[in-house]
Amino acid sequence: MKNQSINPADKCSRKTSSRREFIGKIMLASAGASLLSFNKPSWQLGAFTRPWANYDYRVAFDGMAEAGFKFAGLMSSDKGRIITAETSEEKAFTIGEEAERRGLKINSAYSSIDVSHSIASGINGMQRIIDNLHRCRCSNLVLGGIGNPKLVEDYYKVIAESCDYAAEKGVFICIKPHGGPNATGKGCKTIMEKVNNRNFGIWYDPGNIFFYSDGDIDPVVDSREVDGMVVGISIKDFSPPKMVDLTPGEGIVDFSKVLANLYKGGFSQGPLMIECLSTGDLDFINSEALKTRFYLEKIIGEL
């Protein structure tokens, strides 16, 4: 039997079809890779000054830079709270310049507002804090709420009245779990809904969820309550009965699961700031900061 002849046009058609299938597969693979890359968290990994609270804030900046961080958060130093309503304009500018000299960007600052006199004075104090954050080029104001039930309404009235002013200055206002009505993510969610402003969100703190519930509420469960509301995270561990001054990874917070929950809930970019480390001398603190950076980078890489 003679071999059946093949039309040259058919050969060409088959080759063209094969090339199209091959190119199609490459395009699908590339699109999938791009999608995965796009969905990867782009968190701003850094540290607050709190672990270096016995030193000048510039010593804290040195430790952060030495550990390889690019972002700094302001809390306490040997002189007390770094940014307050009473902080001078000159000092606020200087703080920002000192951070920049070390290759750091200040992305968060913890402060407090006084509403015990009047709502008007509270707003005035809040605006002075916001102005100082603008001067040191800080993008997030983190607040701890208020425990006095008689002042709760005034406290959140001040926040609500200050959100638009803060937005004009490039500062986002956040509330963190810190006891009282904002002891949990669910409590913070209720407050956020009450303030009802686009420039107000939640700064999640898994260590505080355990701390203020005496270890009864697991942040792995609680973190599912705040989908779409978290704008920053304090990396803080917890060890019973009431210990938070320890290096992340040494306590009972499951950071892998907490971060996975928050990531699934919409927190894919923004500050991821170490708030506490185990205590020791300066060399020890700096080494713990570096160790924690590696620890968190490993968790982030596995998400």
Side-chain angles (χ1 to χ4, degrees), residues 71-140:
F71 296 94
L74 307 177
M75 274 194 171
S76 48
S77 72
D78 60 338
K79 304 289 193 306
R81 191 75 48 76
I82 295 175
I83 292 289
T84 68
E86 285 69 45
T87 302
S88 68
E89 294 182 16
E90 182 181 2
K91 182 177 180 181
F93 280 120
T94 299
I95 290 169
E97 291 170 352
E98 292 287 355
E100 286 186 354
R101 286 194 188 104
R102 294 159 175 83
L104 297 169
K105 179 177 176 56
I106 301 172
N107 65 4
S108 48
Y110 182 83
S111 195
S112 58
I113 53 177
D114 182 5
V115 299
S116 61
H117 301 294
S118 68
I119 290 176
S121 66
I123 292 172
N124 181 266
M126 176 73 114
Q127 290 183 350
R128 293 202 304 272
I129 292 170
I130 292 166
D131 288 341
N132 280 328
L133 296 186
H134 176 71
R135 291 175 185 121
C136 69
R137 293 171 289 283
C138 172
S139 50
N140 291 282

Side-chain angles (χ1 to χ4, degrees), residues 15 57 78 99 122 151 163 179 188 192 204 211 250 252 278 281:
K15 287 180 180 179
Y57 72 89
D78 60 338
L151 297 176
C163 285
C188 291
M192 184 178 166
Y204 200 71
F211 184 88
E250 296 181 355
I252 64 173
S278 296
D281 61 22

Side-chain angles (χ1 to χ4, degrees), residues 3 38 46 56 101 103 112 126 197 219 224 242 276 289 296:
N3 291 333
F38 179 78
D56 182 87
R101 286 194 188 104
S112 58
M126 176 73 114
N197 191 288
R224 299 174 189 143
K242 298 287 275 188
C276 296
L296 291 172

Side-chain angles (χ1 to χ4, degrees), residues 109 112 124 130 144 185 189-190 202 205 207 209 242 256 294:
S112 58
N124 181 266
I130 292 166
K189 177 181 177 180
T190 299
I202 296 172
D205 186 330
I209 300 299
K242 298 287 275 188
S256 293
F294 291 148

Side-chain angles (χ1 to χ4, degrees), residues 202-215:
I202 296 172
W203 188 280
Y204 200 71
D205 186 330
N208 276 6
I209 300 299
F210 269 135
F211 184 88
Y212 288 102
S213 68
D214 295 322

Side-chain angles (χ1 to χ4, degrees), residues 40-41 43 255-256 259-261 263 298-303:
K40 286 180 180 178
W43 291 322
F255 288 102
S256 293
L259 290 177
N261 285 347
Y263 176 52
K298 183 176 184 296
I299 291 175
I300 294 169
E302 292 173 348
L303 278 178

